[in-house]
Amino acid sequence: MKKTIYIIDAHAYIHRAYHALPVLTTSKGVAVNAVYGFLRLLIKILRDRKPDFLAICFDYPAPTFRHSLYPDYKANRKEIEPSLKEQIPLARKIVEEMGFPIYEKSGFEADDVIGTISVQAKKMGLKSVVVTGDKDSLQLINEDVSVYNEHKDILWDEQRVANEFG
């Protein structure tokens, strides 16, 4: 049986946790609801899925190559809320303190990095499970790559995509 790498879309889950959980703060008033939700996801993946390897991908905090190609890329997207923005470094610090590798690259989004890791993992003989709720990631699916939506507890594989979308 092939070993499996779980590739986590950190920003997707931090963002989801931020909006899904009530505001939680430390005794000093620092918001931590997104961090708490993200940490719960990590622990759940480790406990329930027992991955052989883990990669945690973050968006790099700078414009991507898409912005160079199309200056209006994401121009209509709302600015990230300050409270959420402040929690991303806290989540990164926890990941680092837990000893897990963080993958990111200047000029690229986490989705790009996730796709690259899944291709490299396949070349190394590994199976990949991309952990995200982002349906764009379904295009990565092949015999060695699946997508796990933890929130809905759905594991997308080739058969499920074919059944759902034809």
Side-chain angles (χ1 to χ4, degrees):
M1 185 152 185
K2 288 185 176 183
K3 290 193 174 195
T4 304
I5 182 170
Y6 275 65
I7 309 166
I8 297 178
D9 185 348
H11 269 79
Y13 277 97
I14 292 168
H15 190 268
R16 186 188 181 294
Y18 178 79
H19 291 287
L21 296 174
V23 175
L24 302 171
T25 61
T26 67
S27 60
K28 296 181 179 173
V30 177
V32 292
N33 50 310
V35 175
Y36 173 73
F38 178 64
L39 183 57
R40 284 185 54 196
L41 165 80
L42 285 180
I43 291 169
K44 183 177 181 185
I45 294 294
L46 293 169
R47 182 188 64 227
D48 297 349
R49 298 291 174 153
K50 298 178 180 27
D52 297 298
F53 304 99
L54 187 67
I56 302 174
C57 300
F58 281 83
D59 287 328
Y60 195 82
T64 69
F65 72 92
R66 290 174 183 86
H67 293 95
S68 299
L69 295 173
Y70 182 63
D72 288 337
Y73 180 67
K74 294 190 177 182
N76 294 325
R77 185 167 283 188
K78 280 186 355 182
E79 185 68 29
I80 188 170
E81 297 92 340
S83 177
L84 172 56
K85 196 174 201 172
E86 293 167 0
Q87 292 185 62
I88 294 170
L90 295 173
R92 288 179 58 87
K93 183 163 178 57
I94 288 173
V95 169
E96 290 168 354
E97 292 293 325
M98 292 176 79
F100 296 120
I102 291 175
Y103 294 88
E104 63 186 357
K105 179 132 178 79
S106 179
F108 296 89
E109 294 179 351
D111 295 346
D112 303 314
V113 176
I114 289 167
T116 300
I117 292 171
S118 70
V119 168
Q120 292 301 317
K122 183 174 180 157
K123 289 178 182 176
M124 296 171 64
L126 299 172
K127 287 202 167 278
S128 296
V129 178
V130 177
V131 182
T132 185
D134 184 353
K135 284 190 177 178
D136 288 346
S137 293
L138 298 181
Q139 65 189 310
L140 298 172
I141 293 175
N142 60 47
E143 66 277 1
D144 289 312
V145 180
S146 57
V147 173
Y148 180 55
N149 181 323
E150 177 275 334
H151 171 65
K152 294 183 178 180
D153 195 29
I154 296 173
L155 182 67
W156 291 92
D157 59 12
E158 288 179 306
Q159 186 62 52
R160 188 172 199 132
V161 169
N163 292 343
E164 184 76 20
F165 300 109

